[in-house]
Amino acid sequence: MNAGNGAKGAEPAAMPTLQVVFLLDITGSMATQIEGVKSMVSEFCYRQQEALNIHIWTYTETPYRCYVSKSPLMQEPSELVRYVNAINVCCPPDYPSETKANGGDGPENVVAAVVSLLDSFNSTENILCFIITDAPPHHKAFEPSLEAVAEKRWLREHDHTEQDVFVLLNQVIDELNVTFVPILYNNKFKSHWYQQAAVLTQGLILCPKQATSEVLAIGLKSLLESFQIISTTRRVDEVNNLDDLWQGFSVVSINSETFEFVEVDFDQELDCYKDATINRNQRDVKAAILGLLETTCDRFRGKKSTKRCRSVNPEIISSSVRVLTMFMLQLVGSEHFDEAKLNDYVFVLIQALTDSKSDTRESEIRLLQKWINKLPTYKKELEIEIKSIQRELQPVQCVLSLESAFETLNGLEQLPRTEEDVNAWMEIVQQLTMCRLLSVSFPLDATGCEDFMDAWSASIRQIETSCVMTVYAAARLRDPETCVFTDPISGRYHNAAIILAHPEDLILTSIYSGLSALPTLQGLVQSYLVSGGLKIFPSIVPGLQASSLLSQLMEMKETGKCSQSTWEVMRCLVWSLQQSLYTPASKVLRFFKNGNGLNPADQVSKLLAATITYCLQDPGWETTKILQLLFEELTGASIGIVYRKLLLDKSSESEIGQSESKLEEKLGLNQTQISTCFVRTNNIIGFDPTISLHSIETINADLNISDGLKKLACLVSTTEEFKNSVRIFNFFYNLLKCDLKAKEFTLKFPSIPSFSEEAMANIYAESLLLRKRASRYNLGVDKDTWTRVSAEELSTILMQCCIDNIRSRYQSNLVEWNATRKKFARENLMSLLRTIAGSIDVCNQALSVLYFEVVGHKYTLGRMDVIDALAQITTNESLNTLGVALCIGSWTPQPPANLRRHCIEICQRFEHDSELAEMVKTNILKTSICTRPPETPNRQGHHRLNTFPGICGWTENYHSTRLASVRPKHRKKVNKKLKKMKVYSEFVNMFREDVVPTLGKNRTLLVDWIFSYNESLEKQSTVVELAGRIVEKVKLDDGNSWDAVVNNWISKMSRVSKRRGRKPLCRLNKFLNTVI
């Protein structure tokens, strides 16, 4: 018997082995259960067991650390017995010195234990995992705690960027061949998380009738003996030793068909599945346990776990497939068409959509009705198609596919609840739809994974032009290991396929249109072709089609021509968007119809899709502003991308010159050429900034935006980039007007009648100045509605953008000129300073009105100029008056505390008068406090009656007062900080009361040093971890020899100022790495 961890990546054995993992909660309330596991292991594992590997893993936590311990790799059963017998409550086996890991809060770190399965097993191994606990995981809805923070830190350290409890559970279920059997105490069967773990993996939840070690030991021993019998006989009816099990345990009854699966955790407490109840009836308990044994028997036979499909509604999918198939049989006049069945299927589908909780159920019902209403039109068109001699082959093939689909449909009785069943139903649709292979990159989400929800932003690298095929054939070309498609003709590799219709095949087009009226089914098929999974991503079909169309247009922009293969792809893309009953980018379409402009936050691909639909619905579209609006967004997007990629670095002239050349390479113009259209820039070299202001600095008053735009438009019209943009836009215009059934593309309109090239040049010039699409719009208060600005507002915006762009280009010159003026003024101020004399008050008054003017700007001294100013004073008499006024006077609003780091140097100047030196030192070192009245608190909510008490000084009164004082727009952010401050304060107080008294004098100083140096809540987790490491060191060592080292380190760090010791916690971490 191998009682240790399964070797990840190992080859599966010829005879399947069952990996039995016990995840044991060893927090303070689990002492009885620990004894039960010990008893079970002692009785069952005393001898070698075939085909079973037993793993005993434990988990617990403290406020500063999360512990997951695994039984080590062993060969002898006696070694596992000894390991388990050494397990103690609140004491992680890997950390025997830690004896107070009692879990702290109510929830426990079970998620860390479950995800540890990913480190020890792979998808080829059969895993049966028992979770023995009396506590739920750390849900978001629970009160934040340090134990929850410690578990999140543990997850990050083990490369789990996602920390949501449900996301991690679903990840383990998706990646491993695992069955979960939670054994829960204290009514924790109500936890939705444990219910989902059991339901998704064909497991069950056991609840012991008595919280005694004997009940648990006997029950687990009976189960393991049953597994051993099944491993050899492969028959459940051979098991006859389960009387003690179903007498000692109850099972939780959950209707898996109505169970609601959770993808992400909720911020508010999640209601448990209301129909989950404890079933104590012996017959039902026996049936449930025998079901678990059947699942175990399947594992020994080599059958993988049947995973539930969380994102698929089985009623909607099955009814959609039936409706689609039956409608198509009606259209082609098949003898298998049955109107009564069709009506039943439609009724069931509408009922399933109505009963679903989807936000789109009403729109999907409307789409279905729209398709039903259009069926007579489709039928009439298809009759003509089938009679056509030139096209008789394709319809025959499609009719045969429909007949085959009908036969397959009749053989499917099971609703598609599992992945295997869903694939079987989906294959029917796959045989009826056409696709092309493509290579695509999706944007990344917050966790760094591909975001299939945002198909509009997908980047299409290549679309296969060699052939088209059915989705069924494409799915068989996918490598199950790499998820890569290989084109059978070109041999090229692709990572996805896209569903399409064809303008020359009305039967396939009818199937495509029908599928678009069933968006759940269409989304499932397309999502499978992209992700390989059975999740449904909204708008993925039109999003991919529009993104593919945009990529083809951009490719034409580079090549300058439309090849036959490009035309074939593009006409299918446009045709598919036109024939979709599901309106793509419907919200953008409403913007078009209202005529109020567009949403600049929408992707360009979405605008193209909406334009295609709008032109199809409105015959008079050419008389509207749609072309102007679309060209604005297209040019704005392409120019914005260029500027974002350049990331202009203004740190040196050489780098600016390099950026200028890159800009000219991309757009045909550089920023200097653009600037010369608005301002004279030929007199920069040799300019003296102390005499006058340059025209670049006075551009606000001198700028004539209309004349400059005309010059820029003339300059733009000569660039190759603009000509290519016009060429592509003309091509898209022709694409909207042409006959998509034509086999070859003809450029019927070389130019757009209603949209001149001069107007395009003006728009392009504006886009060059604006750089952002959103600049032509104002965002509403609801943060969702965009309103186009007026012509006057746009002129003002263009002027400001022009000024900003010019100043950005010449920023280094402006900085140099201002520095020259400041230096010139400062030199003169220092000269004037020597003329000030009199008492401290007189000097203070003179300093408050001292200034020097350069080209209309007044320069004054500040508190940080004091060091240089003191150097101008040569006599002690002046130092005693003017020097004191400079250091601590009220002539500037800046406090004397700003001179704190120069305190020693300043005091040395006053060493001739010790009283003056002490007075100056006292004022400089005085701590600045908030002096604001309660009526006008700062943005953090502080005022003189409620000052910041330090991050360890949280109180209820401080919390409520600060929250009431802060501005509404900052309240949410401040409340989040206050919650962190509360948790940290409670930890510090707990640590000082319970832990510090046991540490000794020097170690207490070390802990106090950590807490005092932590001035930021962002370092909270670091401080907690370091405090925990100190406690670990104390437990590993009596501390006598360590005290001297600690004392020396504290003395050394005490001599380091906070300014010099910028990273004290990093220094402490290095110190602990050395001594621990």
Side-chain angles (χ1 to χ4, degrees), residues 307-376:
K307 298 176 182 177
R308 283 295 302 266
C309 228
R310 300 188 301 274
S311 60
V312 172
N313 184 312
E315 290 285 354
I316 294 177
I317 294 300
S318 59
S319 301
S320 297
V321 174
R322 288 186 174 118
V323 167
L324 177 67
T325 306
M326 194 57 69
F327 268 137
M328 290 310 302
L329 288 172
Q330 179 188 12
L331 287 177
V332 299
S334 171
E335 61 182 15
H336 295 298
F337 169 68
D338 187 328
E339 187 171 358
K341 282 187 176 181
L342 174 59
N343 293 334
D344 290 342
Y345 294 159
V346 171
F347 175 80
V348 172
L349 177 56
I350 292 175
Q351 191 63 46
L353 287 169
T354 304
D355 294 341
S356 72
K357 295 184 178 181
S358 171
D359 296 334
T360 61
R361 59 183 181 275
E362 293 182 1
S363 63
E364 292 195 42
I365 293 173
R366 286 197 299 269
L367 277 175
L368 179 61
Q369 192 60 50
K370 182 178 179 181
W371 185 34
I372 294 172
N373 295 336
K374 291 196 70 172
L375 280 174

Side-chain angles (χ1 to χ4, degrees), residues 835-846:
T835 64
I836 297 176
S839 65
I840 294 177
D841 291 338
V842 171
C843 292
N844 187 60
Q845 178 62 27

Side-chain angles (χ1 to χ4, degrees), residues 6-283:
K8 191 170 183 178
E11 292 294 329
M15 186 176 85
T17 299
L18 186 63
Q19 309 287 349
V20 183
V21 182
F22 292 93
L23 296 183
L24 180 59
D25 178 355
I26 60 169
T27 55
S29 58
M30 294 293 292
T32 301
Q33 290 72 28
I34 293 172
E35 293 305 316
V37 172
K38 287 182 180 180
S39 178
M40 176 273 294
V41 171
S42 298
E43 293 186 31
F44 181 77
C45 299
Y46 64 91
R47 59 184 174 83
Q48 193 81 18
Q49 304 290 343
E50 298 295 332
L52 288 181
N53 284 348
I54 309 298
H55 311 263
I56 309 295
W57 295 1
T58 62
Y59 63 93
T60 186
E61 58 189 353
T62 65
Y64 46 83
R65 189 151 187 179
C66 166
Y67 299 96
V68 177
S69 301
K70 304 179 182 181
S71 53
L73 189 64
M74 300 175 185
Q75 298 298 329
E76 297 299 326
S78 58
E79 296 182 28
L80 179 61
V81 174
R82 282 196 296 271
Y83 175 83
V84 173
N85 285 336
I87 295 175
N88 292 311
V89 68
C90 303
C91 180
D94 294 345
Y95 298 87
S97 60
E98 177 58 78
T99 58
K100 293 186 179 181
N102 56 12
D105 57 352
E108 308 297 355
N109 58 324
V110 62
V111 174
V114 167
V115 299
S116 296
L117 293 169
L118 295 170
D119 300 327
S120 297
F121 303 104
N122 58 38
S123 60
T124 64
E125 294 174 287
N126 301 312
I127 309 163
L128 184 62
C129 182
F130 294 88
I131 306 174
I132 306 172
T133 183
D134 64 352
H138 290 288
H139 287 289
K140 286 182 183 177
F142 295 157
E143 189 71 21
S145 65
L146 289 166
E147 287 81 3
V149 172
E151 184 181 33
K152 288 183 178 180
R153 185 168 60 248
W154 184 95
L155 290 168
R156 287 195 301 271
E157 291 170 354
H158 289 76
D159 300 326
H160 295 287
T161 54
E162 179 58 65
Q163 297 178 352
D164 186 281
V165 296
F166 280 100
V167 172
L168 290 170
L169 172 64
N170 295 335
Q171 179 186 351
V172 172
I173 294 172
D174 290 342
E175 295 186 18
L176 297 179
N177 187 31
V178 61
T179 298
F180 284 110
V181 182
I183 300 177
L184 305 178
Y185 293 79
N186 296 342
N187 285 330
K188 295 308 175 189
F189 74 92
K190 295 181 179 179
S191 169
H192 203 108
W193 193 84
Y194 291 115
Q195 293 174 12
Q196 183 154 316
V199 172
L200 282 177
T201 61
Q202 293 182 295
L204 77 159
I205 298 177
L206 295 174
C207 296
K209 294 180 180 178
Q210 299 177 12
T212 62
S213 60
E214 291 80 7
V215 170
L216 182 62
I218 293 172
L220 293 180
K221 180 174 175 290
S222 298
L223 272 177
L224 290 177
E225 289 174 347
S226 302
F227 298 155
Q228 187 62 51
I229 294 171
I230 291 173
S231 71
T232 56
T233 65
R234 302 293 194 271
R235 292 169 61 94
V236 176
D237 55 11
E238 296 287 337
V239 177
N240 54 12
N241 64 333
L242 294 176
D243 290 343
D244 292 332
L245 182 60
W246 49 61
Q247 288 176 6
F249 288 82
S250 303
V251 297
V252 177
S253 298
I254 303 174
N255 187 339
S256 61
E257 295 187 3
T258 59
F259 184 81
E260 297 179 8
F261 300 104
V262 177
E263 293 292 338
V264 294
D265 203 4
F266 289 92
D267 291 329
Q268 57 187 14
E269 192 162 353
L270 182 68
D271 291 335
C272 65
Y273 179 64
K274 296 178 178 57
D275 296 336
T277 57
I278 290 185
N279 196 332
R280 295 181 174 84
N281 183 287
Q282 275 202 20
R283 185 178 62 183

Side-chain angles (χ1 to χ4, degrees), residues 92 121 151 235 243 276 278 352 358 366 430 473 486 557 559 614 638 660 712 737 855 904 929 1032-1033:
F121 303 104
E151 184 181 33
R235 292 169 61 94
D243 290 343
I278 290 185
S358 171
R366 286 197 299 269
Q430 290 176 350
T486 304
K557 186 176 181 180
T559 60
Y614 179 73
S638 61
E660 288 280 86
L712 183 57
K737 303 264 301 175
V855 291
I904 297 175
I929 60 172
E1032 287 178 28
K1033 173 61 183 174

Side-chain angles (χ1 to χ4, degrees), residues 930 942-943 946-953 958 962 978 981 1015 1017:
C930 183
H942 291 127
H943 49 78
N946 192 48
T947 57
F948 182 58
I951 61 171
C952 302
Y958 168 75
R962 181 177 173 187
L978 286 168
M981 187 176 168
E1015 298 176 349
L1017 284 170

Side-chain angles (χ1 to χ4, degrees), residues 679-964:
V679 66
R680 191 164 62 92
T681 61
N682 57 355
N683 61 338
I684 290 178
I685 300 175
F687 175 70
D688 186 352
T690 62
I691 299 175
S692 64
L693 293 171
H694 194 275
S695 58
I696 293 174
E697 298 175 285
T698 60
I699 192 172
N700 287 3
D702 301 342
L703 183 62
N704 188 325
I705 191 67
S706 58
D707 289 346
L709 276 174
K710 289 178 183 178
K711 294 178 183 177
L712 183 57
C714 293
L715 192 61
V716 157
S717 61
T718 62
T719 63
E720 196 63 33
E721 178 68 19
F722 171 73
K723 293 177 182 177
N724 288 337
S725 298
V726 172
R727 187 183 301 115
I728 292 303
F729 199 72
N730 286 345
F731 176 82
F732 182 68
Y733 173 80
N734 279 267
L735 203 58
L736 298 174
K737 303 264 301 175
C738 71
D739 179 12
L740 296 175
K741 295 184 179 181
K743 292 186 179 294
E744 294 183 358
F745 173 72
T746 303
L747 190 66
K748 190 175 180 180
F749 301 95
S751 61
I752 303 175
S754 59
F755 195 26
S756 67
E757 191 168 323
E758 182 182 353
M760 292 185 187
N762 290 331
I763 291 174
Y764 198 94
E766 289 180 1
S767 298
L768 275 175
L769 290 183
L770 297 173
R771 297 189 183 182
K772 295 179 182 178
R773 293 169 55 196
S775 299
R776 292 185 174 95
Y777 296 85
N778 287 326
L779 183 60
V781 180
D782 58 359
K783 302 298 181 184
D784 186 52
T785 306
W786 293 84
T787 307
R788 190 172 176 83
V789 299
S790 64
E792 294 76 13
E793 289 177 312
L794 181 60
S795 178
T796 304
I797 293 170
L798 285 168
M799 181 178 293
Q800 189 58 51
C801 287
C802 180
I803 293 169
D804 293 343
N805 294 342
I806 292 173
R807 287 182 174 171
S808 174
R809 163 62 185 89
Y810 296 101
Q811 181 65 29
S812 59
N813 301 94
L814 295 173
V815 170
E816 181 184 348
W817 295 337
N818 285 330
T820 302
R821 291 176 185 131
K822 187 175 182 180
K823 181 181 178 181
F824 179 70
R826 200 165 182 271
E827 290 173 353
N828 284 276
L829 283 169
M830 291 300 174
S831 299
L832 293 173
L833 192 67
R834 301 189 194 102
T835 64
I836 297 176
S839 65
I840 294 177
D841 291 338
V842 171
C843 292
N844 187 60
Q845 178 62 27
L847 287 169
S848 66
V849 296
L850 181 66
Y851 70 90
F852 185 81
E853 187 172 338
V854 181
V855 291
H857 182 77
K858 293 181 179 180
Y859 291 86
T860 61
L861 294 175
R863 191 74 73 179
M864 297 309 295
D865 293 313
V866 166
I867 301 300
D868 292 335
L870 289 176
Q872 306 298 318
I873 302 174
T874 57
T875 65
N876 290 341
E877 183 180 357
S878 296
L879 197 62
N880 293 344
T881 55
L882 179 58
V884 172
L886 282 167
C887 294
I888 64 175
S890 59
W891 55 275
T892 174
Q894 300 165 354
N898 285 9
L899 299 171
R900 183 172 297 178
R901 62 174 172 154
H902 303 288
C903 182
I904 297 175
E905 182 182 352
I906 292 172
C907 289
Q908 287 175 351
R909 290 299 310 272
F910 292 93
E911 60 184 3
H912 64 280
D913 191 327
S914 58
E915 290 184 6
L916 273 180
E918 186 62 30
M919 181 180 69
V920 170
K921 180 179 179 181
T922 301
N923 279 273
I924 290 176
L925 296 181
K926 186 184 296 182
T927 303
S928 300
I929 60 172
C930 183
T931 58
R932 287 174 174 264
E935 298 79 24
T936 57
N938 63 17
R939 63 179 182 177
Q940 298 297 332
H942 291 127
H943 49 78
R944 69 168 181 261
L945 300 181
N946 192 48
T947 57
F948 182 58
I951 61 171
C952 302
W954 180 92
T955 62
E956 284 284 358
N957 182 59
Y958 168 75
H959 188 128
S960 58
T961 305
R962 181 177 173 187
L963 208 57

